[in-house]
Amino acid sequence: MTATRQICVRIRVRPFDAKDLNVLTTTDFTELGLIEPLTRALAAQDYIKPTPIQEKAIPQLLDNADLLGIAQTGSGKTAAFVLPILQHLTNDGFRPSPKGALALILAPTRELALQIGNSVKAYAKHLQIRHTVILGGVNQNPQVKALAKGVDVLIATPGRLLDLMEQGHVHLDDVEHLVLDEADRMLDMGFIHDVRKIVKAVPEERQTLLFSATMPKEVAKLANDILFAPVRIDIAPKTVTADRIEQRVIHVPAGKKGALLQDLLTDPSFYRVIVFTRTKHRANRVAKQLGQAGIEAAAIHGNKSQAARQRALDGFKANRLRVLVATDIAARGIDVDGVTHVINFELPNDTESYVHRIGRTARAGAEGMAYSFCDPAERTHLRGIERLIKRPIDVQDHDLSELAANQSQPERRPSKPKRKPQGKRPANSNGKPRRRRRNRKPAKAA
Ligand code: AMP
């Protein structure tokens, strides 16, 4: 099985914006091979034409292919996987055994699970399909009751599903179709091990679909382990950030960030640079450290007087200062053309701030670059940002071996006299019915 996993057909399609009907395809749902009770239900939902992911995925999934979908909410991905599954279940006519399920859809959050449940309900309106949603945070008894006779489609969050499996209220021996939705969020939320445990409990002979907006290493590995010769559909990301901004991330331990910054600044093309920190305190330290290294820099943040802020801004605009070190709030008002580089010394907690930050460069038609220094503790923030901008940020390898550690903590030097702090410091079956043995084939070229 491992050898054949290499076969992979890659289809790149445009993103679908539910508000923009122009990107809907010219195909009809009937042309995709969908049965009448489904097309009738879609008409009732006012779905006139398939979205690109639906057009590409549905015929392949009806043909039993596995699928790797790089797509996010808004692409129409839910119908892309729910419709073929409903059709398979209807055509096959199998019944689940007690406490069993024929199709399992895993979602990371309660909200997503409920949303998928609503979609299944709407699309299966004219079919004999039983479905249920199980999720944590609510009394399990109604869920146990719903599972007793078995269901055709089970939508679940991983934690509660494992819990009910362990208690013997549900088994996965009948599962023919397995969907992992928003796999990168599962990873962020710490569910990846639970997901692997669940997948192990599902028979190997099955159709598997995995969707993820981004493809971190662990998700790629999971996909490789559980998918069989998948068709890959990659929804080209919609650009939230300006196209002209080249974005890079450098993975670096926190203690080497100061040295890395100075190293980058040896390049004269870093001509007018804004460095972002999360705290005022860190902004002060970084600016001071740059000054000590002979690089003209000033900090700008809420604890500085208006006069000091203006002075720093004027100096930056007049090229007397090469680097402005800023916090997010202080930076909102900065409108300076010709900023060549934005450097995220620390990644913002709030992903939207990333877009605001890097938007300080590439203004007025110019080009710009944005670097993000990412230490191991910031990886979750990075994934959140990549999800927001709907694409991975290129990783730049930088030789860190020569860089001194802890340059960013000059206050630890014993020789410095104690000063009054300028601001607040940051707080720190079996009786089972038959199981169909599917003819597993590699994905067809699209
Ligand atoms: P999803 O990406 O699956 O969360 O879907 C995003 C939104 O688009 C949902 O509100 C769907 O009901 C809607 N949608 C999905 N497919 C279509 C379609 N072919 N035509 C119109 N709306 C659709």
Side-chain angles (χ1 to χ4, degrees), residues 16 18 29 47 49-51 54 72-78 115:
F16 167 65
F29 282 105
Y47 291 11
K49 302 281 182 190
T51 68
Q54 293 162 1
Q72 52 279 311
T73 301
S75 59
K77 67 180 162 72
T78 313
Q115 205 175 297

Side-chain angles (χ1 to χ4, degrees), residues 87-161:
Q87 184 150 328
H88 278 303
L89 296 178
T90 302
N91 289 347
D92 293 350
F94 300 142
R95 302 307 314 157
S97 59
K99 302 181 185 177
L102 298 173
L104 171 63
I105 301 170
L106 286 179
T109 62
R110 299 158 46 95
E111 293 70 25
L112 185 61
L114 289 167
Q115 205 175 297
I116 297 170
N118 288 337
S119 297
V120 170
K121 187 174 174 193
Y123 306 150
K125 196 171 171 208
H126 308 295
L127 300 173
Q128 298 294 315
I129 294 284
R130 208 161 56 219
H131 82 279
T132 195
V133 182
I134 65 173
L135 31 81
V138 291
N139 185 328
Q140 71 171 44
N141 293 342
Q143 299 175 7
V144 169
K145 208 169 153 202
L147 286 165
K149 287 191 198 148
V151 292
D152 297 297
V153 183
L154 173 59
I155 304 122
T157 52
R160 176 56 64 94
L161 176 61

Side-chain angles (χ1 to χ4, degrees), residues 382-427:
L382 178 62
R383 280 198 286 275
I385 290 164
E386 291 181 325
R387 202 175 303 114
L388 177 76
I389 65 170
K390 300 186 171 88
R391 69 171 182 228
I393 301 175
D394 287 346
V395 175
Q396 179 167 307
D397 289 326
H398 197 96
D399 184 3
L400 305 170
S401 60
E402 301 288 315
L403 302 181
N406 285 329
Q407 286 205 11
S408 62
Q409 279 120 41
E411 83 284 6
R412 285 199 195 145
R413 287 179 201 161
S415 54
K416 292 278 165 208
K418 275 195 180 158
R419 293 236 215 107
K420 229 174 116 199
Q422 283 202 318
K424 264 196 242 153
R425 292 177 71 99

Side-chain angles (χ1 to χ4, degrees), residues 18-38:
K19 290 182 225 91
D20 178 6
L21 294 179
N22 295 329
V23 300
L24 290 176
T25 63
T26 52
T27 317
D28 277 326
F29 282 105
T30 44
E31 292 172 58
L32 301 182
L34 289 176
I35 52 177
E36 191 277 337
L38 286 173

Side-chain angles (χ1 to χ4, degrees), residues 38-353:
L38 286 173
T39 55
R40 191 153 32 112
L42 293 176
Q45 294 288 307
D46 292 327
Y47 291 11
I48 298 156
K49 302 281 182 190
T51 68
I53 194 170
Q54 293 162 1
E55 184 187 40
K56 300 293 177 194
I58 290 172
Q60 302 265 4
L61 294 177
L62 287 175
D63 215 16
N64 283 331
D66 280 6
L67 181 126
L68 174 59
I70 319 290
Q72 52 279 311
T73 301
S75 59
K77 67 180 162 72
T78 313
F81 65 79
V82 169
L83 295 169
I85 289 177
L86 294 178
Q87 184 150 328
H88 278 303
L89 296 178
T90 302
N91 289 347
D92 293 350
F94 300 142
R95 302 307 314 157
S97 59
K99 302 181 185 177
L102 298 173
L104 171 63
I105 301 170
L106 286 179
T109 62
R110 299 158 46 95
E111 293 70 25
L112 185 61
L114 289 167
Q115 205 175 297
I116 297 170
N118 288 337
S119 297
V120 170
K121 187 174 174 193
Y123 306 150
K125 196 171 171 208
H126 308 295
L127 300 173
Q128 298 294 315
I129 294 284
R130 208 161 56 219
H131 82 279
T132 195
V133 182
I134 65 173
L135 31 81
V138 291
N139 185 328
Q140 71 171 44
N141 293 342
Q143 299 175 7
V144 169
K145 208 169 153 202
L147 286 165
K149 287 191 198 148
V151 292
D152 297 297
V153 183
L154 173 59
I155 304 122
T157 52
R160 176 56 64 94
L161 176 61
L162 267 182
D163 204 3
L164 295 185
M165 282 166 66
E166 277 157 19
Q167 295 179 53
H169 293 305
V170 61
H171 68 82
L172 304 182
D173 302 342
D174 299 344
V175 173
E176 305 252 348
H177 308 274
L178 171 66
V179 182
L180 304 189
D181 202 8
E182 302 203 348
D184 52 352
R185 278 180 89 184
M186 303 243 201
L187 177 71
D188 283 355
M189 296 172 74
F191 289 151
I192 209 90
H193 296 297
D194 286 355
V195 169
R196 280 194 179 270
K197 264 196 221 164
I198 292 167
V199 174
K200 261 199 182 145
V202 177
E204 273 212 17
E205 200 63 30
R206 61 173 191 250
Q207 180 178 40
T208 315
L209 287 61
L210 185 148
F211 290 88
S212 196
T214 59
M215 201 42 69
K217 244 203 275 169
E218 290 97 317
V219 173
K221 174 145 188 359
L222 177 71
N224 190 52
D225 291 346
I226 69 169
L227 299 173
F228 173 80
V231 59
R232 178 178 167 126
I233 299 186
D234 193 343
I235 307 292
K238 227 162 71 184
T239 328
V240 175
T241 47
D243 287 337
R244 296 183 309 274
I245 306 173
E246 200 177 324
Q247 300 166 60
R248 304 260 175 87
V249 62
I250 303 179
H251 292 284
V252 55
K256 287 197 170 187
K257 286 187 175 184
L260 173 63
L261 178 62
Q262 288 182 29
D263 204 39
L264 287 181
L265 290 171
T266 56
D267 179 347
S269 72
F270 285 67
Y271 183 70
R272 190 178 273 172
V273 182
I274 302 182
V275 174
F276 282 95
T277 62
R278 271 206 296 267
T279 65
K280 301 162 192 165
H281 182 64
R282 175 73 68 184
N284 284 339
R285 280 203 268 168
V286 172
K288 188 167 159 193
Q289 201 187 335
L290 290 175
Q292 286 166 345
I295 298 165
E296 313 83 346
I300 179 167
H301 54 69
N303 284 357
K304 297 270 183 191
S305 67
Q306 187 56 42
R309 286 158 71 160
Q310 197 57 50
R311 219 169 26 246
L313 258 183
D314 290 346
F316 190 55
K317 284 184 187 162
N319 293 335
R320 288 192 301 274
L321 292 176
R322 188 173 163 212
V323 181
L324 207 55
V325 188
T327 56
D328 289 298
I329 294 166
R332 292 270 151 94
I334 302 176
D335 187 7
V336 182
D337 289 339
V339 173
T340 57
H341 294 76
V342 163
I343 297 178
N344 294 309
F345 192 91
E346 292 162 316
L347 291 179
N349 289 328
D350 161 23
T351 48
E352 299 279 353
S353 293

